[in-house]
Amino acid sequence: QVQLVESGGGLVQAGGSLRLSCAASGRTLSIYNMGWFRQPPGKEREFVAAHRWIRGNTYLLDSADSVQGRFTISRDNAKNTVYLQMNSLKPEDTAVYYCAAKYGTVAAFNIQANYDYWGQGTQVTVSS
């Protein structure tokens, strides 16, 4: 069993930055596929970024087109924590952001149904 706890959300002006953290307990995250998803107000939850475990110490990073060049996902296995650095924030980035984990590799890393564990979410609000 994996418990995920997000933090770092808040209110920020457009153009600003935030760093979200996702701290895990119960299992080491080193061989988990990790993802960030978000749910804007009144909309479906959507994929943001993934930090994919491939094999050994090999990982691949992927992100949605809407955040490429602005958001960066990273992980610190020693701290069992995954991060989402968000720069150049826009009002349309306003959403509840969720961290998710899937043991091992996953081909469809952008599909939320493929993830086994979820955090409770953290609110990000970007004002114009």
Side-chain angles (χ1 to χ4, degrees):
Q1 193 75 7
V2 175
Q3 293 79 42
L4 304 173
V5 178
E6 302 99 334
S7 61
L11 174 63
V12 64
Q13 288 188 334
S17 298
L18 283 174
R19 188 176 80 156
L20 305 183
S21 299
C22 172
S25 60
R27 290 285 190 274
T28 178
L29 291 183
S30 61
I31 54 174
Y32 276 76
N33 188 93
M34 301 300 300
W36 284 98
F37 291 78
R38 68 185 181 186
Q39 187 166 18
K43 296 183 179 181
E44 297 292 316
R45 192 156 56 183
E46 61 186 23
F47 169 73
V48 176
H51 200 286
R52 304 163 54 199
W53 179 72
I54 303 301
R55 71 184 69 82
N57 292 321
T58 301
Y59 299 92
L60 289 178
L61 279 61
D62 289 277
S63 59
D65 290 344
S66 59
V67 305
Q68 279 189 5
R70 300 188 299 123
F71 291 11
T72 303
I73 187 172
S74 62
R75 78 165 78 194
D76 185 334
N77 287 333
K79 295 182 178 179
N80 229 25
T81 300
V82 176
Y83 304 97
L84 185 68
Q85 177 66 43
M86 306 186 296
N87 299 328
S88 302
L89 282 161
K90 304 175 181 180
E92 51 264 43
D93 294 319
T94 294
V96 178
Y97 283 73
Y98 297 90
C99 173
K102 164 67 177 178
Y103 178 78
T105 60
V106 56
F109 52 85
N110 58 334
I111 304 300
Q112 53 186 307
N114 288 335
Y115 289 80
D116 299 319
Y117 306 101
W118 291 84
Q120 82 290 350
T122 185
Q123 176 70 47
V124 171
T125 302
V126 184
S127 63
S128 57

